[in-house]
Amino acid sequence: MILSYIYNILKFKKWELLSLVIILVTLKWSAIITFRPDINHLTELHKCPACYGTSACSYIDMVDITPYDFYSTFAYLFGVKNVYFGFLKTKKIVLKKLAQSFELDELDRTLCENKNFSHICTLNQKEIDNEDNIDFHKLVENEVRLDFAKDNSNRLNLCPTIQHLNNLLQPIYHNNKNIARETLDINIWILTLLNPEPLLLQILSAEEDWPVPKYFGACGRIVIEEYVGLPLIVYYNKPWISRAKIASSLLDAAYKFTYKSMDFGFYITDISADNIVVDANNNVKFVDLENVIVVDKNVVPTGKPIIWNQLQVNTEDFSCSECLAFSHVDICSHKTSDHNYYAICKTLLALDINNSILPGGLLHDIPKDIFKKYLNIQQLIKQCVNPQPPFDRVKAGIQLKTLLDVIVQKET
């Protein structure tokens, strides 16, 4: 679209080229100014404790906001979620405001218009006393509790009960031991309202081999994360063996989110080729964790549904090739679900030429020699998308990953 627009401009008459030059020079200087926003202005530190935290404030002045490639420049110019790219010393980083500007404005309006939260409203920043003794931890509980009546996929949901919420949040409390508990609870509450990604990046730590970027900390209303690599969509036409390695990593992520923790299962409800990036070793990382269902695997026996120990199988309508349909009620009624395999296989791996984002899936155009040697590869992909007895989606996904690993090892 952009190239077409430029082409049409170049068809102007010669006398109009002067106007074009002026426009381009103006855009150039505007871009230079835009690409280097004031980091201290972005943090909005004066709005704390109604912010994301202060763990990165000691080194925030060392951040250099500079797009480092075409994709980071494009994402900054045309993205809507206030994402910035830059360096922390020599390390590439991503900085996120976690919400659109109007969402942040609406949050401030809500806080300032509610007398219960006046002490954390910027306009009333001199009023620092919590006279009404608001229990912000209780507010966090209310936000993460899943309301089945609404069946809302937004933000962080913990189910079927919230009795182990403190266990879920323990890594966050541990990482912020020097922060007063009430202040930290306010930070956590704000994130559950806006975007819980920083919470999940600490719960699912990259240092513990979860497929997510490293979390460096927060300063005011900006968080700093590791820059991992380019979006999955960029790899659509890469050599097939490279794509096979990426597909294996996707299936490994499905397994980890489902089974790695003995206490909780994590089900990503917004999986797309734009929300996943690929590192230099063809391993994937999930960079958008705004919408996640967390299932407590250790609910007390009296709270267990009758079907609790049965694998929840997604049987939603498969007629829509690009729809990711699921039921919160079903997922939360089982200790484990095949949702992560369903989402990854249907959205990213399905051999569906009607998919407008990934026509034919990430593993499209299987080389003839590989197809002849490994005849069941297409069948396993199909079973992972829409399993038929005696298969189930998890078994198909595990077998598909094993097969892809064998192919990558033998064919490279």
Side-chain angles (χ1 to χ4, degrees), residues 37 41 48 71 100 142 148 191 194 198 204 207 219 264 273 288 396:
H41 175 72
C48 289
Y71 293 99
Q100 299 182 49
N142 293 337
F148 289 116
L191 287 169
L194 281 175
L204 306 174
E207 286 80 2
C219 183
F264 301 99
D288 189 340

Side-chain angles (χ1 to χ4, degrees), residues 312-346:
Q312 187 269 325
V313 178
N314 191 310
T315 56
E316 301 294 330
D317 181 18
F318 291 93
S319 60
C320 175
S321 61
E322 297 182 43
C323 298
L324 190 60
F326 58 90
S327 165
H328 285 78
V329 174
D330 288 347
I331 291 175
C332 291
S333 298
H334 297 74
K335 183 177 180 178
T336 54
S337 167
D338 69 0
H339 171 82
N340 290 324
Y341 282 96
Y342 156 74
I344 287 173
C345 289
K346 186 176 189 295

Side-chain angles (χ1 to χ4, degrees), residues 204-350:
L204 306 174
S205 171
E207 286 80 2
E208 296 181 5
D209 199 33
W210 288 96
V212 298
K214 292 179 181 178
Y215 177 71
F216 295 128
C219 183
R221 286 189 178 173
I222 202 161
V223 297
I224 305 176
E225 302 176 11
E226 168 193 25
Y227 172 81
V228 177
L230 297 174
L232 178 64
I233 187 67
V234 175
Y235 291 79
Y236 176 73
N237 285 319
K238 294 294 183 181
W240 193 87
I241 287 296
S242 296
R243 288 185 277 128
K245 178 66 169 64
I246 295 170
S248 171
S249 181
L250 285 168
L251 293 166
D252 184 58
Y255 184 89
K256 286 178 178 176
F257 285 133
T258 307
Y259 295 106
K260 179 176 169 63
S261 170
M262 298 297 293
D263 299 316
F264 301 99
F266 301 88
Y267 299 98
I268 316 299
T269 60
D270 184 17
I271 288 180
S272 73
D274 294 327
N275 295 341
I276 300 169
V277 297
V278 183
D279 69 12
N281 297 315
N282 291 323
N283 292 314
V284 301
K285 306 284 185 180
F286 288 69
V287 295
D288 189 340
L289 298 175
E290 183 174 0
N291 304 309
V292 179
I293 299 174
V294 183
V295 175
D296 185 349
K297 296 179 179 179
N298 298 314
V299 293
V300 294
T302 54
K304 291 184 180 180
I306 297 174
I307 55 175
W308 178 251
N309 289 315
Q310 300 174 11
L311 175 70
Q312 187 269 325
V313 178
N314 191 310
T315 56
E316 301 294 330
D317 181 18
F318 291 93
S319 60
C320 175
S321 61
E322 297 182 43
C323 298
L324 190 60
F326 58 90
S327 165
H328 285 78
V329 174
D330 288 347
I331 291 175
C332 291
S333 298
H334 297 74
K335 183 177 180 178
T336 54
S337 167
D338 69 0
H339 171 82
N340 290 324
Y341 282 96
Y342 156 74
I344 287 173
C345 289
K346 186 176 189 295
T347 306
L348 306 175
L349 303 184

Side-chain angles (χ1 to χ4, degrees), residues 145-213:
R145 182 183 284 110
L146 184 57
D147 185 347
F148 289 116
K150 295 180 180 179
D151 205 23
N152 190 344
S153 63
N154 290 335
R155 305 185 179 91
L156 176 66
N157 296 140
L158 177 60
C159 64
T161 74
I162 62 167
Q163 68 181 84
H164 294 137
L165 175 61
N166 284 345
N167 293 347
L168 179 69
L169 299 178
Q170 184 56 41
I172 299 162
Y173 294 133
H174 177 77
N175 292 344
N176 298 275
K177 288 182 291 188
N178 60 327
I179 305 296
R181 183 60 178 264
E182 182 183 3
T183 299
L184 184 56
D185 281 338
I186 295 175
N187 297 157
I188 294 173
W189 177 61
I190 292 294
L191 287 169
T192 59
L193 288 173
L194 281 175
N195 187 328
E197 182 175 307
L199 304 178
L200 285 158
L201 289 179
Q202 295 175 78
I203 295 168
L204 306 174
S205 171
E207 286 80 2
E208 296 181 5
D209 199 33
W210 288 96
V212 298

